[in-house]
Amino acid sequence: MFTSRLLLRRQPASLRIPHPSGIPRRSRNVRSPPGTTSSTSVATRSAQKLTVDEICAELQITRSTFYDWRQKGRGPRCIRLPNGALRIRRSDFENWLTDCEDRP
């Protein structure tokens, strides 16, 4: 099949569609100066997200047990990521453990 060379050329800058934010892509990923912290890079213990493997290791259970609890509605609250993976907030996990304790 014949492909025109014109289709393979890049568009001139005047014809390119600008980014919605108006900021060129290269300038969006600017690092903060050393010694300063970004609010997105600081992770607190309550905002920490755990994987299913980390939960299973901490509870010393198998993955199948975790998913069985989840199916029966007995597991901790989970966040489903776009790729299908699960994450559990540390605070939700701690609250769930507290709720599981035997009351005297």
Side-chain angles (χ1 to χ4, degrees):
M1 188 167 186
F2 177 73
T3 305
S4 172
R5 288 185 177 200
L6 294 175
L7 295 176
L8 299 177
R9 291 185 186 170
R10 294 184 65 177
Q11 293 179 339
S14 61
L15 297 178
R16 290 188 194 140
I17 300 171
H19 191 269
S21 67
I23 301 171
R25 285 184 174 246
R26 291 185 183 147
S27 64
R28 281 190 288 150
N29 297 327
V30 177
R31 292 185 180 181
S32 54
T36 61
T37 57
S38 162
S39 61
T40 58
S41 66
V42 176
T44 61
R45 187 160 174 84
S46 63
Q48 183 182 8
K49 312 256 184 327
L50 303 170
T51 63
V52 172
D53 289 334
E54 291 170 337
I55 295 290
C56 292
E58 191 164 332
L59 295 175
Q60 299 178 351
I61 60 171
T62 62
R63 288 176 66 94
S64 61
T65 300
F66 175 82
Y67 285 113
D68 185 47
W69 290 350
R70 182 168 157 71
Q71 183 181 15
K72 293 177 181 177
R74 296 180 183 165
R77 287 181 46 189
C78 297
I79 301 166
R80 183 169 300 279
L81 300 178
N83 65 355
L86 295 176
R87 294 292 182 269
I88 299 95
R89 286 186 190 94
R90 170 60 77 171
S91 59
D92 289 341
F93 177 63
E94 297 293 337
N95 291 338
W96 176 78
L97 278 178
T98 303
D99 292 342
C100 289
E101 289 179 1
D102 287 337
R103 302 287 181 212

XYZ file of all heavy atoms in Angstrom:
839
model
N 0.845 -1.170 0.000
C 0.000 0.000 0.000
C 0.890 1.232 0.000
O 1.888 1.302 0.719
C -0.892 -0.027 1.229
C -1.910 1.028 1.233
S -3.090 0.619 2.539
C -4.227 1.872 2.235
N 0.529 2.227 -0.787
C 1.332 3.427 -0.943
C 0.987 4.433 0.164
O -0.161 4.735 0.411
C 1.057 4.037 -2.320
C 1.798 5.319 -2.550
C 3.162 5.311 -2.785
C 1.144 6.524 -2.532
C 3.839 6.484 -2.993
C 1.812 7.707 -2.750
C 3.172 7.696 -2.978
N 2.037 4.941 0.859
C 1.853 5.961 1.890
C 2.535 7.235 1.445
O 3.714 7.224 1.096
C 2.459 5.503 3.228
O 1.894 4.256 3.579
C 2.199 6.510 4.316
N 1.832 8.304 1.460
C 2.378 9.584 1.050
C 3.368 10.094 2.081
O 3.184 9.932 3.279
C 1.243 10.598 0.878
O 1.769 11.881 0.671
N 4.444 10.710 1.610
C 5.424 11.295 2.525
C 4.830 12.459 3.307
O 5.266 12.762 4.391
C 6.643 11.766 1.767
C 7.487 10.640 1.273
C 8.720 11.172 0.638
N 9.562 10.074 0.240
C 10.835 10.179 0.005
N 11.422 11.354 0.107
N 11.542 9.141 -0.350
N 3.828 13.081 2.760
C 3.209 14.213 3.445
C 2.538 13.762 4.742
O 2.474 14.514 5.708
C 2.187 14.907 2.544
C 2.744 15.590 1.304
C 1.603 16.126 0.461
C 3.675 16.716 1.707
N 2.015 12.540 4.780
C 1.364 12.044 5.981
C 2.363 11.745 7.086
O 2.017 11.727 8.254
C 0.554 10.790 5.664
C -0.630 10.980 4.727
C -1.274 9.633 4.427
C -1.642 11.926 5.338
N 3.603 11.482 6.720
C 4.612 11.130 7.706
C 5.272 12.348 8.344
O 5.961 12.224 9.330
C 5.680 10.236 7.068
C 5.162 8.907 6.504
C 6.296 8.161 5.832
C 4.558 8.069 7.614
N 5.095 13.520 7.778
C 5.713 14.734 8.321
C 4.941 15.246 9.522
O 3.735 15.069 9.634
C 5.749 15.831 7.259
C 6.685 15.539 6.146
C 6.747 16.715 5.216
N 7.544 16.373 4.046
C 7.626 17.121 2.981
N 6.953 18.258 2.918
N 8.367 16.759 1.974
N 5.657 15.896 10.417
C 5.020 16.503 11.578
C 4.318 17.779 11.156
O 4.733 18.460 10.230
C 6.060 16.828 12.638
C 6.695 15.570 13.210
C 7.614 15.914 14.302
N 6.830 16.488 15.395
C 7.330 16.845 16.553
N 8.609 16.705 16.785
N 6.585 17.345 17.495
N 3.267 18.113 11.869
C 2.541 19.347 11.579
C 3.359 20.537 12.049
O 4.040 20.474 13.068
C 1.212 19.368 12.314
C 0.229 18.343 11.842
C -1.053 18.412 12.648
O -1.069 18.934 13.750
N -2.115 17.880 12.083
N 3.279 21.654 11.332
C 3.963 22.855 11.804
C 3.338 23.339 13.119
O 2.182 23.042 13.430
C 3.742 23.877 10.685
C 2.761 23.278 9.749
C 2.631 21.829 10.059
N 4.110 24.061 13.903
C 3.665 24.522 15.219
C 2.379 25.330 15.135
O 1.552 25.282 16.043
C 4.764 25.339 15.883
N 2.177 26.047 14.055
C 0.978 26.870 13.933
C -0.289 26.034 13.786
O -1.378 26.496 14.092
C 1.111 27.823 12.748
O 1.256 27.074 11.551
N -0.170 24.771 13.358
C -1.334 23.910 13.168
C -1.562 22.943 14.328
O -2.570 22.250 14.368
C -1.194 23.107 11.871
C -1.156 23.921 10.581
C -0.960 22.992 9.396
C -2.432 24.733 10.410
N -0.619 22.861 15.262
C -0.759 21.931 16.372
C -1.832 22.396 17.345
O -2.015 23.590 17.583
C 0.560 21.795 17.126
C 1.589 21.066 16.325
C 2.811 20.777 17.157
N 3.885 20.389 16.266
C 5.131 20.751 16.404
N 5.487 21.494 17.421
N 6.034 20.369 15.551
N -2.531 21.448 17.917
C -3.574 21.753 18.893
C -2.897 21.992 20.245
O -2.127 21.143 20.710
C -4.583 20.593 19.006
C -5.247 20.367 17.644
C -5.609 20.862 20.096
C -6.094 19.120 17.587
N -3.151 23.138 20.894
C -2.498 23.413 22.175
C -3.026 22.501 23.281
O -4.149 21.990 23.212
C -2.849 24.873 22.463
C -4.087 25.119 21.685
C -4.028 24.214 20.481
N -2.208 22.300 24.284
C -2.610 21.501 25.441
C -3.730 22.231 26.166
O -3.724 23.460 26.258
C -1.411 21.285 26.372
C -1.671 20.279 27.434
N -2.173 20.635 28.660
C -1.539 18.937 27.444
C -2.322 19.548 29.394
N -1.935 18.503 28.679
N -4.743 21.517 26.727
C -5.884 22.169 27.374
C -5.496 23.110 28.504
O -6.146 24.108 28.735
C -6.714 21.010 27.914
C -6.303 19.827 27.131
C -4.905 20.075 26.676
N -4.418 22.794 29.218
C -4.027 23.659 30.337
C -3.294 24.895 29.848
O -3.074 25.826 30.613
C -3.132 22.895 31.308
O -1.891 22.591 30.692
N -2.896 24.905 28.586
C -2.147 26.040 28.058
C -0.672 25.958 28.401
O 0.106 26.815 28.016
N -0.279 24.931 29.129
C 1.110 24.772 29.536
C 1.736 23.696 28.656
O 1.187 22.607 28.542
C 1.210 24.342 31.017
C 0.530 25.386 31.891
C 2.649 24.134 31.428
C 0.393 24.942 33.327
N 2.872 23.984 28.050
C 3.527 22.946 27.254
C 3.896 21.753 28.135
O 4.172 21.900 29.319
C 4.787 23.632 26.722
C 4.568 25.081 26.920
C 3.587 25.232 28.026
N 3.893 20.577 27.565
C 4.169 19.365 28.333
C 5.514 19.400 29.042
O 5.631 18.936 30.147
C 4.119 18.139 27.428
C 2.739 17.748 27.053
C 2.760 16.483 26.240
N 1.394 16.058 26.028
C 0.889 14.955 26.535
N 1.624 14.168 27.244
N -0.360 14.648 26.318
N 6.516 19.908 28.442
C 7.849 19.890 29.044
C 7.931 20.713 30.311
O 8.704 20.410 31.196
C 8.879 20.366 28.039
C 9.072 19.376 26.920
C 10.173 19.789 25.999
N 10.250 18.834 24.900
C 10.599 19.124 23.689
N 10.939 20.360 23.385
N 10.641 18.208 22.761
N 7.132 21.753 30.437
C 7.233 22.607 31.617
C 6.328 22.159 32.760
O 6.385 22.713 33.834
C 6.906 24.054 31.248
O 5.569 24.140 30.824
N 5.472 21.144 32.536
C 4.588 20.694 33.598
C 5.317 19.859 34.650
O 4.931 19.827 35.786
C 3.431 19.867 33.030
C 2.359 20.721 32.439
C 1.144 19.913 32.113
N 1.436 19.068 30.950
C 0.893 17.898 30.737
N 0.047 17.405 31.579
N 1.189 17.199 29.674
N 6.360 19.136 34.280
C 7.047 18.248 35.193
C 8.261 18.921 35.826
O 9.363 18.400 35.806
C 7.475 16.965 34.468
C 6.283 16.186 33.980
O 5.249 16.217 34.623
N 6.411 15.505 32.873
N 8.062 20.076 36.374
C 9.152 20.815 37.002
C 9.302 20.344 38.436
O 8.330 20.263 39.186
C 8.860 22.345 36.967
C 9.947 23.104 37.681
C 8.703 22.801 35.534
N 10.526 20.026 38.820
C 10.786 19.587 40.190
C 10.905 20.792 41.106
O 11.359 21.851 40.713
C 12.077 18.782 40.253
C 11.979 17.463 39.556
C 13.229 16.679 39.766
N 13.120 15.402 39.086
C 14.044 14.484 39.100
N 15.163 14.702 39.763
N 13.883 13.358 38.471
N 10.525 20.595 42.358
C 10.662 21.672 43.327
C 12.122 21.755 43.765
O 12.854 20.771 43.723
C 9.751 21.430 44.525
O 9.993 20.161 45.079
N 12.567 22.932 44.193
C 13.957 23.104 44.607
C 14.302 22.194 45.782
O 13.430 21.818 46.567
C 14.033 24.580 45.033
C 12.797 25.212 44.520
C 11.804 24.142 44.281
N 15.592 21.825 45.908
C 15.992 20.973 47.031
C 15.663 21.631 48.363
O 15.759 22.844 48.515
C 17.508 20.828 46.858
C 17.791 21.234 45.446
C 16.694 22.149 45.032
N 15.255 20.822 49.315
C 14.921 21.344 50.635
C 13.461 21.697 50.803
O 12.996 21.947 51.897
N 12.718 21.732 49.705
C 11.288 22.014 49.797
C 10.528 20.737 49.499
O 11.020 19.862 48.798
C 10.846 23.106 48.802
O 11.110 22.645 47.480
C 11.569 24.402 49.054
N 9.334 20.655 50.038
C 8.525 19.463 49.784
C 7.245 19.864 49.097
O 6.658 20.897 49.387
C 8.181 18.732 51.098
O 7.518 19.636 51.967
C 9.430 18.188 51.755
N 6.831 19.040 48.196
C 5.571 19.234 47.502
C 4.471 18.556 48.305
O 4.694 17.538 48.939
C 5.673 18.618 46.102
O 4.416 18.412 45.571
N 3.267 19.115 48.292
C 2.175 18.533 49.060
C 1.794 17.150 48.539
O 1.274 16.334 49.272
C 0.954 19.448 49.037
O 0.511 19.601 47.708
N 2.076 16.870 47.269
C 1.741 15.561 46.726
C 2.802 14.522 47.035
O 2.524 13.340 46.978
C 1.549 15.635 45.201
O 2.746 16.134 44.613
C 0.373 16.510 44.843
N 4.020 14.938 47.357
C 5.073 13.969 47.607
C 5.149 13.548 49.067
O 5.819 12.593 49.400
C 6.428 14.525 47.156
O 6.772 15.626 47.972
N 4.477 14.264 49.956
C 4.507 13.933 51.371
C 3.374 12.950 51.650
O 2.211 13.242 51.437
C 4.333 15.202 52.243
C 4.280 14.837 53.706
C 5.451 16.173 51.971
N 3.736 11.766 52.121
C 2.728 10.745 52.416
C 2.619 10.575 53.915
O 3.599 10.309 54.588
C 3.108 9.424 51.759
N 1.428 10.754 54.433
C 1.220 10.518 55.851
C 0.749 9.098 56.033
O 0.305 8.445 55.100
C 0.161 11.490 56.413
O -1.062 11.261 55.724
C 0.595 12.931 56.257
N 0.851 8.612 57.251
C 0.481 7.230 57.517
C -0.997 6.990 57.214
O -1.371 5.939 56.731
C 0.789 6.885 58.967
C 0.586 5.438 59.287
C 1.353 5.064 60.534
N 1.080 3.726 60.947
C 1.682 2.643 60.474
N 2.595 2.779 59.545
N 1.380 1.444 60.913
N -1.848 7.986 57.463
C -3.278 7.788 57.218
C -3.599 7.748 55.727
O -4.577 7.146 55.327
C -4.089 8.894 57.888
O -3.744 10.135 57.323
N -2.761 8.382 54.892
C -3.009 8.396 53.457
C -2.273 7.266 52.745
O -2.402 7.108 51.549
C -2.584 9.737 52.859
N -1.515 6.465 53.479
C -0.766 5.378 52.881
C -1.721 4.316 52.340
O -2.689 3.949 52.989
C 0.164 4.759 53.909
C 1.042 3.659 53.387
C 1.916 3.059 54.476
O 1.751 3.379 55.632
N 2.812 2.200 54.091
N -1.429 3.832 51.148
C -2.264 2.809 50.530
C -1.484 1.492 50.520
O -0.323 1.445 50.148
C -2.617 3.200 49.104
C -3.126 4.628 48.981
C -4.575 4.697 48.793
C -5.117 6.076 48.572
N -4.484 7.185 49.222
N -2.131 0.427 50.936
C -1.514 -0.888 51.011
C -2.020 -1.772 49.883
O -3.168 -1.664 49.464
C -1.843 -1.542 52.354
C -1.451 -0.756 53.603
C -2.058 -1.406 54.838
C 0.045 -0.678 53.722
N -1.169 -2.677 49.429
C -1.572 -3.638 48.410
C -2.196 -4.853 49.096
O -2.075 -5.026 50.310
C -0.371 -4.098 47.575
O 0.551 -4.777 48.435
C 0.312 -2.927 46.889
N -2.831 -5.693 48.311
C -3.430 -6.912 48.845
C -2.338 -7.805 49.438
O -2.520 -8.390 50.509
C -4.228 -7.658 47.742
C -4.698 -9.008 48.233
C -5.402 -6.815 47.283
N -1.191 -7.888 48.775
C -0.089 -8.702 49.291
C 0.407 -8.199 50.645
O 0.731 -8.996 51.526
C 1.064 -8.736 48.296
C 0.735 -9.547 47.055
O -0.119 -10.454 47.155
O 1.319 -9.271 45.996
N 0.468 -6.875 50.821
C 0.902 -6.314 52.111
C -0.109 -6.624 53.211
O 0.274 -6.947 54.335
C 1.115 -4.802 51.980
C 2.295 -4.437 51.115
C 2.372 -2.967 50.787
O 1.339 -2.267 50.833
O 3.482 -2.502 50.462
N -1.389 -6.539 52.892
C -2.430 -6.863 53.868
C -2.341 -8.338 54.255
O -2.386 -8.695 55.434
C -3.837 -6.545 53.301
C -4.007 -5.046 53.075
C -4.938 -7.096 54.199
C -4.099 -4.218 54.318
N -2.196 -9.196 53.250
C -2.118 -10.636 53.512
C -0.886 -10.983 54.344
O -0.960 -11.831 55.237
C -2.106 -11.416 52.192
S -3.668 -11.333 51.307
N 0.225 -10.323 54.068
C 1.440 -10.588 54.842
C 1.262 -10.136 56.285
O 1.688 -10.829 57.218
C 2.624 -9.876 54.202
N 0.641 -8.982 56.487
C 0.451 -8.467 57.838
C -0.510 -9.336 58.645
O -0.319 -9.557 59.831
C -0.057 -7.022 57.779
C -0.038 -6.328 59.112
C -0.174 -4.823 59.000
O 0.221 -4.237 57.976
O -0.687 -4.229 59.962
N -1.551 -9.846 57.995
C -2.532 -10.690 58.684
C -2.152 -12.168 58.674
O -2.816 -12.971 59.325
C -3.910 -10.525 58.027
C -4.549 -9.155 58.136
C -5.842 -9.106 57.333
C -4.813 -8.798 59.585
N -1.128 -12.517 57.908
C -0.680 -13.905 57.744
C -1.809 -14.789 57.224
O -2.139 -15.827 57.792
C -0.109 -14.453 59.051
C 1.094 -13.684 59.530
C 1.642 -14.203 60.846
O 1.035 -15.037 61.498
N 2.793 -13.695 61.235
N -2.409 -14.334 56.128
C -3.477 -15.087 55.467
C -3.117 -15.223 53.994
O -2.226 -14.543 53.487
C -4.852 -14.386 55.600
C -4.811 -12.983 54.974
C -5.304 -14.333 57.047
C -6.151 -12.305 54.870
N -3.818 -16.097 53.298
C -3.598 -16.253 51.863
C -4.458 -15.250 51.099
O -5.425 -14.699 51.634
C -3.970 -17.680 51.401
O -5.359 -17.888 51.662
C -3.138 -18.717 52.131
N -4.090 -15.047 49.836
C -4.872 -14.137 48.989
C -6.303 -14.640 48.828
O -7.243 -13.858 48.788
C -4.220 -13.988 47.618
C -2.942 -13.178 47.630
C -2.310 -13.159 46.243
N -3.107 -12.462 45.280
C -2.971 -11.169 44.964
N -2.064 -10.455 45.560
N -3.737 -10.622 44.067
N -6.456 -15.958 48.730
C -7.801 -16.511 48.538
C -8.686 -16.218 49.750
O -9.883 -15.955 49.603
C -7.741 -18.012 48.268
O -7.164 -18.691 49.358
N -8.106 -16.234 50.955
C -8.870 -15.889 52.159
C -9.303 -14.428 52.109
O -10.455 -14.090 52.405
C -8.042 -16.152 53.423
O -7.700 -17.535 53.471
C -8.801 -15.762 54.674
N -8.375 -13.546 51.706
C -8.708 -12.126 51.604
C -9.858 -11.919 50.629
O -10.818 -11.213 50.927
C -7.482 -11.314 51.153
C -7.794 -9.863 50.921
C -7.841 -8.972 51.978
C -8.064 -9.394 49.642
C -8.154 -7.640 51.769
C -8.372 -8.062 49.422
C -8.418 -7.192 50.492
N -9.777 -12.536 49.444
C -10.831 -12.356 48.440
C -12.147 -13.009 48.877
O -13.224 -12.533 48.521
C -10.374 -12.876 47.080
C -9.392 -11.936 46.416
C -8.065 -12.306 46.211
C -9.777 -10.669 46.008
C -7.158 -11.440 45.614
C -8.889 -9.786 45.417
C -7.579 -10.182 45.225
O -6.701 -9.317 44.640
N -12.063 -14.082 49.656
C -13.272 -14.707 50.206
C -13.954 -13.740 51.176
O -15.174 -13.554 51.124
C -12.907 -16.019 50.904
C -14.127 -16.772 51.383
O -15.088 -16.914 50.589
O -14.130 -17.211 52.548
N -13.173 -13.131 52.068
C -13.725 -12.135 52.990
C -14.330 -10.979 52.223
O -15.399 -10.477 52.560
C -12.645 -11.595 53.914
C -12.138 -12.556 54.943
C -12.640 -13.769 55.278
C -11.003 -12.348 55.794
N -11.891 -14.342 56.266
C -10.879 -13.488 56.607
C -10.083 -11.327 55.920
C -9.867 -13.620 57.550
C -9.081 -11.456 56.858
C -8.971 -12.597 57.668
N -13.651 -10.534 51.178
C -14.129 -9.404 50.386
C -15.453 -9.741 49.706
O -16.378 -8.932 49.685
C -13.058 -9.044 49.355
C -13.405 -7.864 48.500
C -12.192 -7.406 47.730
N -12.546 -6.674 46.548
C -13.059 -5.456 46.534
N -13.245 -4.824 47.661
N -13.365 -4.874 45.399
N -15.563 -10.951 49.160
C -16.787 -11.362 48.485
C -17.956 -11.433 49.462
O -19.089 -11.087 49.118
C -16.579 -12.720 47.819
C -17.776 -13.186 47.029
C -17.535 -14.544 46.395
O -16.600 -15.250 46.755
N -18.382 -14.896 45.449
N -17.687 -11.841 50.700
C -18.739 -11.954 51.717
C -19.010 -10.629 52.428
O -19.883 -10.555 53.284
C -18.340 -13.000 52.751
C -18.292 -14.400 52.183
C -17.815 -15.391 53.208
C -17.742 -16.787 52.615
N -17.201 -17.757 53.579
N -18.267 -9.566 52.083
C -18.459 -8.263 52.705
C -17.856 -8.159 54.090
O -18.247 -7.294 54.867
N -16.894 -9.013 54.396
C -16.272 -9.011 55.720
C -14.881 -8.408 55.731
O -14.264 -8.312 56.787
C -16.173 -10.443 56.239
C -17.513 -11.085 56.447
C -17.353 -12.474 56.964
N -18.661 -13.120 57.101
C -18.833 -14.406 57.260
N -17.798 -15.208 57.307
N -20.037 -14.897 57.378
N -14.362 -8.026 54.583
C -13.015 -7.479 54.484
C -13.001 -5.973 54.639
O -14.046 -5.322 54.714
N -11.795 -5.379 54.669
C -11.687 -3.919 54.765
C -12.121 -3.246 53.460
O -12.162 -3.890 52.405
C -10.191 -3.687 55.033
C -9.512 -4.890 54.493
C -10.478 -6.023 54.653
N -12.459 -1.965 53.546
C -12.832 -1.200 52.354
C -11.655 -1.136 51.404
O -10.517 -0.953 51.817
C -13.242 0.219 52.730
C -14.579 0.297 53.412
C -14.952 1.705 53.753
N -14.706 2.587 52.611
C -14.771 3.901 52.660
N -15.069 4.503 53.790
N -14.555 4.632 51.598
N -11.931 -1.282 50.109
C -10.871 -1.292 49.096
C -11.117 -0.208 48.055
O -12.249 0.219 47.839
C -10.803 -2.642 48.403
S -10.386 -3.997 49.482
N -10.043 0.183 47.415
C -10.089 1.116 46.289
C -9.677 0.322 45.058
O -8.624 -0.311 45.058
C -9.112 2.281 46.503
C -9.443 3.036 47.783
C -9.107 3.212 45.297
C -8.344 3.969 48.214
N -10.502 0.331 44.024
C -10.144 -0.355 42.786
C -9.523 0.656 41.835
O -10.129 1.670 41.483
C -11.355 -1.006 42.125
C -10.973 -1.776 40.864
C -12.073 -2.645 40.326
N -12.520 -3.661 41.250
C -11.904 -4.836 41.454
N -10.791 -5.095 40.828
N -12.405 -5.719 42.284
N -8.295 0.391 41.416
C -7.587 1.256 40.484
C -8.041 0.972 39.056
O -8.633 -0.086 38.785
C -6.082 1.018 40.613
C -5.486 1.289 41.991
C -3.999 0.974 41.992
C -5.735 2.714 42.421
N -7.773 1.887 38.124
C -8.194 1.674 36.735
C -7.644 0.392 36.114
O -8.264 -0.183 35.229
C -7.656 2.902 35.999
C -7.564 3.950 37.046
C -7.216 3.219 38.321
N -6.491 -0.086 36.586
C -5.927 -1.316 36.023
C -6.502 -2.568 36.691
O -6.098 -3.680 36.391
C -4.408 -1.315 36.127
C -3.905 -1.349 37.558
O -4.683 -1.289 38.502
N -2.610 -1.430 37.718
N -7.440 -2.400 37.621
C -8.083 -3.528 38.283
C -7.460 -3.913 39.608
O -8.015 -4.725 40.341
N -6.300 -3.352 39.927
C -5.630 -3.665 41.188
C -6.382 -3.039 42.356
O -7.095 -2.045 42.197
C -4.192 -3.157 41.163
N -6.230 -3.629 43.534
C -6.886 -3.116 44.734
C -5.862 -2.451 45.647
O -4.728 -2.904 45.748
C -7.559 -4.251 45.508
C -8.713 -4.966 44.829
C -9.193 -6.110 45.705
C -9.841 -4.010 44.543
N -6.294 -1.389 46.323
C -5.489 -0.744 47.352
C -6.390 -0.527 48.555
O -7.596 -0.311 48.427
C -4.941 0.612 46.890
C -3.949 0.525 45.749
C -2.654 -0.125 46.172
N -1.690 -0.155 45.094
C -1.560 -1.140 44.227
N -2.362 -2.175 44.285
N -0.647 -1.105 43.284
N -5.789 -0.569 49.744
C -6.530 -0.377 50.981
C -5.851 0.743 51.747
O -4.639 0.706 51.965
C -6.538 -1.671 51.832
C -7.221 -2.819 51.067
C -7.274 -1.453 53.138
C -6.286 -3.705 50.325
N -6.624 1.770 52.114
C -6.065 2.858 52.925
C -5.654 2.307 54.278
O -6.372 1.493 54.875
C -7.093 3.961 53.128
C -7.330 4.808 51.936
C -8.264 5.972 52.294
N -8.678 6.655 51.096
C -9.789 6.391 50.430
N -10.610 5.473 50.848
N -10.072 7.066 49.337
N -4.514 2.739 54.775
C -4.033 2.292 56.081
C -5.063 2.608 57.156
O -5.333 1.778 58.019
C -2.687 2.960 56.381
C -2.170 2.785 57.791
C -1.954 1.358 58.181
N -0.742 0.808 57.625
C -0.272 -0.383 57.982
N -0.901 -1.122 58.873
N 0.804 -0.857 57.419
N -5.687 3.783 57.095
C -6.675 4.163 58.111
C -7.900 3.235 58.058
O -8.417 2.836 59.098
C -7.108 5.618 57.930
O -7.659 5.814 56.641
N -8.357 2.889 56.850
C -9.489 1.958 56.721
C -9.127 0.585 57.273
O -9.942 -0.072 57.917
C -9.925 1.822 55.264
C -10.606 3.070 54.731
O -11.067 3.892 55.558
O -10.683 3.223 53.498
N -7.902 0.150 57.007
C -7.443 -1.143 57.496
C -7.383 -1.156 59.020
O -7.863 -2.092 59.673
C -6.068 -1.468 56.898
C -5.478 -2.749 57.397
C -6.098 -3.962 57.143
C -4.292 -2.756 58.109
C -5.551 -5.150 57.593
C -3.744 -3.933 58.566
C -4.373 -5.135 58.309
N -6.843 -0.086 59.630
C -6.757 0.002 61.092
C -8.152 0.035 61.711
O -8.407 -0.622 62.725
C -5.956 1.245 61.512
C -4.506 1.236 61.069
C -3.661 0.169 61.746
O -4.035 -0.294 62.852
O -2.629 -0.216 61.176
N -9.075 0.787 61.112
C -10.457 0.839 61.614
C -11.128 -0.524 61.508
O -11.859 -0.940 62.414
C -11.276 1.883 60.848
C -10.835 3.296 61.137
O -10.219 3.567 62.171
N -11.110 4.198 60.221
N -10.888 -1.219 60.404
C -11.464 -2.551 60.215
C -10.930 -3.526 61.271
O -11.687 -4.308 61.837
C -11.149 -3.043 58.804
C -11.595 -4.432 58.524
C -12.860 -4.851 58.243
C -10.774 -5.589 58.504
N -12.865 -6.202 58.036
C -11.604 -6.690 58.195
C -9.410 -5.812 58.712
C -11.099 -7.977 58.086
C -8.926 -7.103 58.610
C -9.773 -8.175 58.295
N -9.614 -3.436 61.544
C -9.032 -4.301 62.580
C -9.642 -4.018 63.947
O -9.918 -4.935 64.726
C -7.527 -4.115 62.650
C -6.685 -4.876 61.634
C -5.220 -4.535 61.806
C -6.902 -6.361 61.747
N -9.855 -2.742 64.245
C -10.468 -2.359 65.520
C -11.881 -2.933 65.631
O -12.274 -3.424 66.676
C -10.507 -0.823 65.665
O -9.173 -0.316 65.547
C -11.075 -0.400 66.996
N -12.626 -2.873 64.542
C -13.983 -3.419 64.527
C -13.997 -4.941 64.676
O -14.979 -5.505 65.156
C -14.721 -3.031 63.245
C -15.013 -1.542 63.163
O -14.955 -0.872 64.208
O -15.265 -1.065 62.036
N -12.918 -5.601 64.280
C -12.844 -7.060 64.380
C -12.499 -7.549 65.781
O -12.648 -8.738 66.068
C -11.782 -7.591 63.405
S -12.272 -7.480 61.687
N -12.040 -6.647 66.661
C -11.643 -7.057 68.008
C -12.854 -7.571 68.781
O -13.980 -7.082 68.621
C -11.047 -5.879 68.773
C -9.691 -5.455 68.260
C -9.143 -4.259 69.026
O -9.810 -3.774 69.956
O -8.049 -3.806 68.669
N -12.614 -8.553 69.625
C -13.673 -9.085 70.491
C -13.996 -8.067 71.584
O -13.100 -7.502 72.198
C -13.240 -10.392 71.162
C -13.211 -11.540 70.167
O -13.909 -11.448 69.154
O -12.461 -12.503 70.400
N -15.258 -7.840 71.782
C -15.694 -6.935 72.846
C -15.958 -7.776 74.107
O -16.633 -8.797 74.037
C -16.984 -6.208 72.460
C -16.865 -5.419 71.190
C -16.045 -4.168 71.383
N -15.992 -3.432 70.128
C -14.968 -2.709 69.776
N -13.924 -2.606 70.542
N -14.981 -2.059 68.640
N -15.447 -7.342 75.283
C -15.678 -8.131 76.510
C -17.109 -8.090 76.994
O -17.926 -7.330 76.683
C -14.764 -7.484 77.544
C -14.254 -6.230 76.955
C -14.598 -6.223 75.504
